[in-house]
Amino acid sequence: TSAKRGNMRLISVVLNCPTRSKRALSSKKILDYAYENYKYYNLLKADDKFDSIPVIKGVKSEVDIILSSEIGMPLSHDEAKSIEKIVELPKNLKAPVAAGTEVGTVKFVIKDKVIAETSLKTAYDVRKMKFGDYMYKIIENWGEILHIGNKNE
């Protein structure tokens, strides 16, 4: 038997019931129990910006980190209160960085048991800085210094 309430669909399977009506009644009790005691939690959405990591020698100073896949599941109230999120990400990355590169993981744990896990990936490319990029930064910084100096006079 299958049932859907809100955004949560449940399926119950009942074995060894002598009649169809007893099987339907048992299935209804199971589904009612599940809907009363569990709620669907959308823990993380795919492609949402999760974090950002500094990029060493990149044309951008950091790169956005996104999830490889969405994480959602039914949990009891007690499970939802005790869930722990563990994020494993490096402190920084060296350029060049390609879009979609897996750089870490996020895990959801209840009582030392991993109940969900997905990889974390870079959202876009960050190329390595070249000589011209460094020269542009130097000129840009000089312009800022000269502009600030003129304001103070």
Side-chain angles (χ1 to χ4, degrees), residues 108-152:
F108 287 91
V109 178
I110 297 176
K111 297 180 183 174
D112 298 325
K113 182 180 177 190
V114 176
I115 61 164
E117 178 178 1
T118 190
S119 58
L120 299 170
K121 61 184 181 179
T122 55
Y124 46 81
D125 294 334
V126 178
R127 72 174 174 80
K128 187 173 182 177
M129 287 183 65
K130 297 178 182 175
F131 178 77
D133 298 313
Y134 287 110
M135 289 302 295
Y136 179 79
K137 275 196 163 209
I138 290 169
I139 293 169
E140 186 179 55
N141 287 339
W142 280 350
E144 288 177 16
I145 291 169
L146 292 174
H147 184 67
I148 292 170
N150 289 338
K151 280 187 174 181
N152 292 336

CSV table of all heavy atoms in Angstrom, one decimal, residues 108-152:
chain,number,residue,atom,x,y,z
A,108,PHE,N,25.6,13.5,7.7
A,108,PHE,CA,24.6,13.6,8.8
A,108,PHE,C,24.7,12.3,9.7
A,108,PHE,O,24.6,11.2,9.1
A,108,PHE,CB,23.2,13.9,8.3
A,108,PHE,CG,23.1,15.3,7.8
A,108,PHE,CD1,23.3,15.5,6.4
A,108,PHE,CD2,22.8,16.3,8.6
A,108,PHE,CE1,23.2,16.8,5.9
A,108,PHE,CE2,22.6,17.6,8.1
A,108,PHE,CZ,22.9,17.8,6.8
A,109,VAL,N,24.9,12.5,11.0
A,109,VAL,CA,25.2,11.4,11.9
A,109,VAL,C,24.2,11.5,13.0
A,109,VAL,O,23.9,12.5,13.6
A,109,VAL,CB,26.6,11.5,12.4
A,109,VAL,CG1,26.9,10.4,13.4
A,109,VAL,CG2,27.6,11.5,11.3
A,110,ILE,N,23.6,10.3,13.4
A,110,ILE,CA,22.8,10.1,14.6
A,110,ILE,C,23.4,9.0,15.4
A,110,ILE,O,23.6,7.9,14.9
A,110,ILE,CB,21.4,9.8,14.3
A,110,ILE,CG1,20.7,11.0,13.5
A,110,ILE,CG2,20.6,9.5,15.6
A,110,ILE,CD1,19.3,10.8,13.1
A,111,LYS,N,23.8,9.3,16.6
A,111,LYS,CA,24.4,8.3,17.5
A,111,LYS,C,25.5,7.5,16.8
A,111,LYS,O,25.6,6.3,16.8
A,111,LYS,CB,23.4,7.3,18.0
A,111,LYS,CG,22.3,7.9,18.9
A,111,LYS,CD,21.3,6.9,19.3
A,111,LYS,CE,20.2,7.7,20.1
A,111,LYS,NZ,19.1,6.8,20.5
A,112,ASP,N,26.5,8.2,16.3
A,112,ASP,CA,27.7,7.7,15.7
A,112,ASP,C,27.4,6.9,14.4
A,112,ASP,O,28.3,6.1,13.9
A,112,ASP,CB,28.5,6.8,16.6
A,112,ASP,CG,29.1,7.7,17.8
A,112,ASP,OD1,29.4,8.8,17.6
A,112,ASP,OD2,29.2,7.1,18.9
A,113,LYS,N,26.2,6.9,13.9
A,113,LYS,CA,25.9,6.2,12.6
A,113,LYS,C,25.6,7.2,11.5
A,113,LYS,O,24.7,8.1,11.7
A,113,LYS,CB,24.7,5.3,12.9
A,113,LYS,CG,24.3,4.5,11.6
A,113,LYS,CD,23.1,3.6,11.9
A,113,LYS,CE,22.7,2.9,10.6
A,113,LYS,NZ,21.4,2.2,10.7
A,114,VAL,N,26.3,7.1,10.4
A,114,VAL,CA,26.1,8.0,9.3
A,114,VAL,C,24.8,7.6,8.6
A,114,VAL,O,24.6,6.5,8.2
A,114,VAL,CB,27.2,7.9,8.3
A,114,VAL,CG1,27.0,8.8,7.0
A,114,VAL,CG2,28.6,8.3,8.9
A,115,ILE,N,23.8,8.6,8.6
A,115,ILE,CA,22.5,8.3,8.0
A,115,ILE,C,22.4,8.9,6.6
A,115,ILE,O,21.5,8.5,5.8
A,115,ILE,CB,21.4,8.8,8.9
A,115,ILE,CG1,21.4,10.3,9.1
A,115,ILE,CG2,21.3,8.0,10.2
A,115,ILE,CD1,20.1,10.9,9.6
A,116,ALA,N,23.2,9.9,6.2
A,116,ALA,CA,23.2,10.5,4.9
A,116,ALA,C,24.6,11.1,4.7
A,116,ALA,O,25.2,11.6,5.6
A,116,ALA,CB,22.1,11.5,4.8
A,117,GLU,N,25.0,11.1,3.4
A,117,GLU,CA,26.3,11.7,3.0
A,117,GLU,C,26.2,12.1,1.6
A,117,GLU,O,25.6,11.4,0.7
A,117,GLU,CB,27.4,10.7,3.2
A,117,GLU,CG,28.8,11.1,2.9
A,117,GLU,CD,29.8,10.1,3.2
A,117,GLU,OE1,29.5,9.0,3.6
A,117,GLU,OE2,31.0,10.3,2.9
A,118,THR,N,26.9,13.2,1.3
A,118,THR,CA,27.0,13.7,-0.1
A,118,THR,C,28.4,14.4,-0.3
A,118,THR,O,28.9,14.9,0.7
A,118,THR,CB,25.9,14.6,-0.6
A,118,THR,OG1,26.0,14.7,-2.0
A,118,THR,CG2,25.9,15.9,0.1
A,119,SER,N,28.9,14.4,-1.5
A,119,SER,CA,30.1,15.1,-1.7
A,119,SER,C,29.9,16.6,-2.0
A,119,SER,O,28.8,17.0,-2.4
A,119,SER,CB,30.9,14.5,-2.9
A,119,SER,OG,30.1,14.5,-4.1
A,120,LEU,N,30.9,17.4,-1.8
A,120,LEU,CA,30.9,18.8,-2.0
A,120,LEU,C,31.8,19.1,-3.2
A,120,LEU,O,32.9,18.5,-3.3
A,120,LEU,CB,31.4,19.5,-0.7
A,120,LEU,CG,30.6,19.3,0.5
A,120,LEU,CD1,31.3,19.9,1.7
A,120,LEU,CD2,29.2,20.0,0.4
A,121,LYS,N,31.3,20.0,-4.1
A,121,LYS,CA,32.1,20.2,-5.3
A,121,LYS,C,32.2,21.7,-5.6
A,121,LYS,O,31.4,22.5,-5.0
A,121,LYS,CB,31.5,19.5,-6.5
A,121,LYS,CG,30.0,19.9,-6.8
A,121,LYS,CD,29.5,19.1,-7.9
A,121,LYS,CE,28.0,19.6,-8.2
A,121,LYS,NZ,27.4,18.8,-9.3
A,122,THR,N,33.1,22.1,-6.4
A,122,THR,CA,33.3,23.5,-6.7
A,122,THR,C,32.2,23.9,-7.7
A,122,THR,O,31.9,23.1,-8.6
A,122,THR,CB,34.7,23.7,-7.3
A,122,THR,OG1,34.9,22.9,-8.4
A,122,THR,CG2,35.8,23.5,-6.3
A,123,ALA,N,31.8,25.1,-7.6
A,123,ALA,CA,30.7,25.6,-8.5
A,123,ALA,C,31.1,26.1,-9.8
A,123,ALA,O,30.4,26.1,-10.8
A,123,ALA,CB,29.9,26.7,-7.7
A,124,TYR,N,32.4,26.6,-9.9
A,124,TYR,CA,32.8,27.2,-11.2
A,124,TYR,C,34.4,27.1,-11.3
A,124,TYR,O,35.0,26.8,-10.3
A,124,TYR,CB,32.4,28.6,-11.3
A,124,TYR,CG,32.6,29.5,-10.1
A,124,TYR,CD1,33.8,30.0,-9.7
A,124,TYR,CD2,31.5,29.7,-9.2
A,124,TYR,CE1,34.0,30.8,-8.6
A,124,TYR,CE2,31.7,30.4,-8.0
A,124,TYR,CZ,32.9,31.0,-7.7
A,124,TYR,OH,33.1,31.7,-6.6
A,125,ASP,N,34.9,27.4,-12.4
A,125,ASP,CA,36.3,27.4,-12.7
A,125,ASP,C,37.0,28.6,-12.0
A,125,ASP,O,36.4,29.7,-12.0
A,125,ASP,CB,36.7,27.4,-14.2
A,125,ASP,CG,36.2,26.2,-14.9
A,125,ASP,OD1,36.1,25.1,-14.3
A,125,ASP,OD2,36.0,26.3,-16.2
A,126,VAL,N,38.2,28.4,-11.5
A,126,VAL,CA,39.0,29.5,-11.1
A,126,VAL,C,40.4,29.3,-11.7
A,126,VAL,O,41.1,28.3,-11.4
A,126,VAL,CB,39.2,29.7,-9.6
A,126,VAL,CG1,40.1,30.8,-9.2
A,126,VAL,CG2,37.8,29.8,-8.9
A,127,ARG,N,40.8,30.1,-12.7
A,127,ARG,CA,42.1,29.9,-13.3
A,127,ARG,C,43.2,30.5,-12.5
A,127,ARG,O,43.0,31.3,-11.7
A,127,ARG,CB,42.1,30.4,-14.8
A,127,ARG,CG,42.1,31.9,-14.9
A,127,ARG,CD,42.3,32.3,-16.4
A,127,ARG,NE,42.1,33.7,-16.5
A,127,ARG,CZ,43.1,34.6,-16.3
A,127,ARG,NH1,44.3,34.2,-15.9
A,127,ARG,NH2,42.9,35.9,-16.5
A,128,LYS,N,44.4,30.0,-12.8
A,128,LYS,CA,45.6,30.4,-12.1
A,128,LYS,C,46.0,31.8,-12.6
A,128,LYS,O,45.9,32.1,-13.8
A,128,LYS,CB,46.7,29.4,-12.3
A,128,LYS,CG,48.0,29.7,-11.5
A,128,LYS,CD,49.0,28.6,-11.7
A,128,LYS,CE,50.2,28.8,-10.8
A,128,LYS,NZ,51.1,27.7,-10.9
A,129,MET,N,46.4,32.7,-11.7
A,129,MET,CA,46.9,34.0,-12.1
A,129,MET,C,48.1,33.9,-13.0
A,129,MET,O,49.0,33.1,-12.7
A,129,MET,CB,47.1,34.9,-10.9
A,129,MET,CG,45.8,35.3,-10.2
A,129,MET,SD,46.1,36.4,-8.8
A,129,MET,CE,46.8,37.8,-9.6
A,130,LYS,N,48.2,34.8,-14.0
A,130,LYS,CA,49.3,34.9,-14.9
A,130,LYS,C,50.0,36.2,-14.6
A,130,LYS,O,49.5,37.0,-13.9
A,130,LYS,CB,48.9,34.8,-16.3
A,130,LYS,CG,48.2,33.4,-16.7
A,130,LYS,CD,47.8,33.4,-18.1
A,130,LYS,CE,47.1,32.0,-18.4
A,130,LYS,NZ,46.5,32.0,-19.7
A,131,PHE,N,51.2,36.4,-15.3
A,131,PHE,CA,51.9,37.6,-15.1
A,131,PHE,C,51.1,38.9,-15.3
A,131,PHE,O,51.1,39.8,-14.5
A,131,PHE,CB,53.1,37.7,-16.1
A,131,PHE,CG,53.9,38.9,-16.0
A,131,PHE,CD1,54.8,39.1,-15.0
A,131,PHE,CD2,53.8,39.9,-17.0
A,131,PHE,CE1,55.6,40.2,-14.9
A,131,PHE,CE2,54.6,41.1,-16.9
A,131,PHE,CZ,55.5,41.2,-15.8
A,132,GLY,N,50.3,38.9,-16.4
A,132,GLY,CA,49.4,40.1,-16.6
A,132,GLY,C,48.4,40.3,-15.5
A,132,GLY,O,48.1,41.5,-15.2
A,133,ASP,N,47.9,39.3,-14.9
A,133,ASP,CA,47.0,39.4,-13.8
A,133,ASP,C,47.7,40.1,-12.6
A,133,ASP,O,47.1,41.0,-11.9
A,133,ASP,CB,46.4,38.1,-13.3
A,133,ASP,CG,45.6,37.4,-14.4
A,133,ASP,OD1,44.8,38.1,-15.1
A,133,ASP,OD2,45.9,36.2,-14.7
A,134,TYR,N,48.9,39.7,-12.3
A,134,TYR,CA,49.7,40.3,-11.2
A,134,TYR,C,49.9,41.8,-11.5
A,134,TYR,O,49.8,42.7,-10.6
A,134,TYR,CB,51.0,39.6,-10.9
A,134,TYR,CG,50.8,38.2,-10.3
A,134,TYR,CD1,51.0,37.1,-11.0
A,134,TYR,CD2,50.4,38.2,-9.0
A,134,TYR,CE1,50.8,35.8,-10.4
A,134,TYR,CE2,50.2,36.9,-8.3
A,134,TYR,CZ,50.4,35.8,-9.0
A,134,TYR,OH,50.2,34.6,-8.4
A,135,MET,N,50.3,42.1,-12.7
A,135,MET,CA,50.6,43.5,-13.1
A,135,MET,C,49.3,44.4,-13.0
A,135,MET,O,49.3,45.5,-12.4
A,135,MET,CB,51.1,43.6,-14.6
A,135,MET,CG,52.5,43.1,-14.7
A,135,MET,SD,53.7,43.9,-13.7
A,135,MET,CE,53.7,45.6,-14.3
A,136,TYR,N,48.2,43.8,-13.4
A,136,TYR,CA,46.9,44.5,-13.3
A,136,TYR,C,46.6,44.8,-11.8
A,136,TYR,O,46.2,45.9,-11.4
A,136,TYR,CB,45.8,43.7,-13.9
A,136,TYR,CG,44.4,44.4,-13.8
A,136,TYR,CD1,44.1,45.4,-14.6
A,136,TYR,CD2,43.5,44.0,-12.8
A,136,TYR,CE1,42.8,46.1,-14.5
A,136,TYR,CE2,42.3,44.6,-12.6
A,136,TYR,CZ,42.0,45.6,-13.5
A,136,TYR,OH,40.7,46.3,-13.4
A,137,LYS,N,46.8,43.9,-10.9
A,137,LYS,CA,46.6,44.1,-9.5
A,137,LYS,C,47.5,45.2,-8.9
A,137,LYS,O,47.1,46.0,-8.1
A,137,LYS,CB,46.8,42.8,-8.7
A,137,LYS,CG,45.6,41.9,-8.7
A,137,LYS,CD,45.7,40.8,-7.6
A,137,LYS,CE,44.3,40.3,-7.3
A,137,LYS,NZ,44.1,39.8,-6.0
A,138,ILE,N,48.7,45.2,-9.3
A,138,ILE,CA,49.7,46.2,-8.8
A,138,ILE,C,49.2,47.6,-9.3
A,138,ILE,O,49.1,48.5,-8.5
A,138,ILE,CB,51.1,45.9,-9.4
A,138,ILE,CG1,51.7,44.7,-8.7
A,138,ILE,CG2,52.0,47.1,-9.2
A,138,ILE,CD1,53.0,44.2,-9.3
A,139,ILE,N,48.8,47.7,-10.5
A,139,ILE,CA,48.3,49.0,-11.0
A,139,ILE,C,47.1,49.4,-10.3
A,139,ILE,O,46.9,50.6,-10.0
A,139,ILE,CB,48.2,49.0,-12.6
A,139,ILE,CG1,49.5,48.8,-13.2
A,139,ILE,CG2,47.4,50.2,-13.1
A,139,ILE,CD1,49.5,48.5,-14.7
A,140,GLU,N,46.2,48.5,-10.1
A,140,GLU,CA,44.9,48.7,-9.4
A,140,GLU,C,45.2,49.2,-8.0
A,140,GLU,O,44.6,50.2,-7.5
A,140,GLU,CB,44.1,47.4,-9.4
A,140,GLU,CG,42.7,47.6,-8.9
A,140,GLU,CD,41.9,46.3,-8.9
A,140,GLU,OE1,42.4,45.3,-8.4
A,140,GLU,OE2,40.8,46.3,-9.5
A,141,ASN,N,46.1,48.6,-7.3
A,141,ASN,CA,46.4,49.0,-5.9
A,141,ASN,C,47.1,50.4,-5.9
A,141,ASN,O,46.8,51.2,-5.0
A,141,ASN,CB,47.4,47.9,-5.3
A,141,ASN,CG,46.6,46.7,-4.9
A,141,ASN,OD1,45.4,46.6,-4.8
A,141,ASN,ND2,47.4,45.6,-4.8
A,142,TRP,N,47.9,50.7,-6.9
A,142,TRP,CA,48.5,52.0,-7.0
A,142,TRP,C,47.4,53.1,-7.1
A,142,TRP,O,47.4,54.1,-6.5
A,142,TRP,CB,49.5,52.1,-8.1
A,142,TRP,CG,50.9,51.6,-7.8
A,142,TRP,CD1,51.4,51.2,-6.6
A,142,TRP,CD2,51.9,51.4,-8.8
A,142,TRP,NE1,52.6,50.7,-6.8
A,142,TRP,CE2,53.0,50.8,-8.1
A,142,TRP,CE3,52.0,51.6,-10.2
A,142,TRP,CZ2,54.2,50.5,-8.8
A,142,TRP,CZ3,53.2,51.3,-10.8
A,142,TRP,CH2,54.3,50.7,-10.1
A,143,GLY,N,46.5,52.7,-8.0
A,143,GLY,CA,45.4,53.7,-8.2
A,143,GLY,C,44.6,53.9,-7.0
A,143,GLY,O,44.2,55.1,-6.7
A,144,GLU,N,44.3,52.9,-6.2
A,144,GLU,CA,43.6,53.1,-4.9
A,144,GLU,C,44.4,53.9,-3.9
A,144,GLU,O,43.9,54.8,-3.3
A,144,GLU,CB,43.3,51.7,-4.3
A,144,GLU,CG,42.2,50.9,-5.1
A,144,GLU,CD,41.9,49.6,-4.5
A,144,GLU,OE1,42.4,49.3,-3.4
A,144,GLU,OE2,41.3,48.8,-5.2
A,145,ILE,N,45.7,53.7,-3.9
A,145,ILE,CA,46.6,54.4,-3.0
A,145,ILE,C,46.6,55.9,-3.4
A,145,ILE,O,46.4,56.8,-2.5
A,145,ILE,CB,48.0,53.9,-2.9
A,145,ILE,CG1,48.0,52.5,-2.3
A,145,ILE,CG2,49.0,54.8,-2.2
A,145,ILE,CD1,49.3,51.7,-2.4
A,146,LEU,N,46.7,56.2,-4.7
A,146,LEU,CA,46.8,57.6,-5.1
A,146,LEU,C,45.4,58.2,-4.9
A,146,LEU,O,45.3,59.4,-4.5
A,146,LEU,CB,47.1,57.6,-6.6
A,146,LEU,CG,48.6,57.2,-7.0
A,146,LEU,CD1,48.8,57.2,-8.5
A,146,LEU,CD2,49.6,58.1,-6.3
A,147,HIS,N,44.3,57.5,-5.1
A,147,HIS,CA,43.0,58.1,-5.0
A,147,HIS,C,42.7,58.4,-3.5
A,147,HIS,O,42.2,59.5,-3.2
A,147,HIS,CB,41.9,57.1,-5.4
A,147,HIS,CG,40.5,57.6,-5.4
A,147,HIS,ND1,40.1,58.6,-6.2
A,147,HIS,CD2,39.5,57.2,-4.6
A,147,HIS,CE1,38.8,58.8,-5.9
A,147,HIS,NE2,38.4,58.0,-4.9
A,148,ILE,N,43.2,57.5,-2.6
A,148,ILE,CA,43.0,57.8,-1.1
A,148,ILE,C,43.9,59.0,-0.7
A,148,ILE,O,43.4,59.8,0.0
A,148,ILE,CB,43.4,56.5,-0.3
A,148,ILE,CG1,42.4,55.4,-0.5
A,148,ILE,CG2,43.5,56.9,1.2
A,148,ILE,CD1,42.8,54.1,0.0
A,149,GLY,N,45.1,59.1,-1.3
A,149,GLY,CA,46.0,60.2,-1.0
A,149,GLY,C,45.4,61.5,-1.4
A,149,GLY,O,45.5,62.5,-0.7
A,150,ASN,N,44.7,61.6,-2.5
A,150,ASN,CA,44.0,62.8,-3.0
A,150,ASN,C,42.9,63.2,-2.1
A,150,ASN,O,42.6,64.4,-2.0
A,150,ASN,CB,43.6,62.6,-4.5
A,150,ASN,CG,44.7,62.6,-5.4
A,150,ASN,OD1,45.8,63.1,-5.1
A,150,ASN,ND2,44.5,62.0,-6.6
A,151,LYS,N,42.2,62.2,-1.6
A,151,LYS,CA,41.0,62.5,-0.7
A,151,LYS,C,41.4,63.2,0.6
A,151,LYS,O,40.7,64.0,1.1
A,151,LYS,CB,40.2,61.3,-0.4
A,151,LYS,CG,39.3,60.8,-1.4
A,151,LYS,CD,38.5,59.7,-0.9
A,151,LYS,CE,37.4,59.3,-2.0
A,151,LYS,NZ,36.6,58.2,-1.5
A,152,ASN,N,42.6,62.8,1.1
A,152,ASN,CA,43.1,63.4,2.4
A,152,ASN,C,43.7,64.8,2.3
A,152,ASN,O,43.9,65.4,3.2
A,152,ASN,CB,44.2,62.4,3.0
A,152,ASN,CG,43.6,61.1,3.4
A,152,ASN,OD1,42.4,61.0,3.6
A,152,ASN,ND2,44.4,60.1,3.4
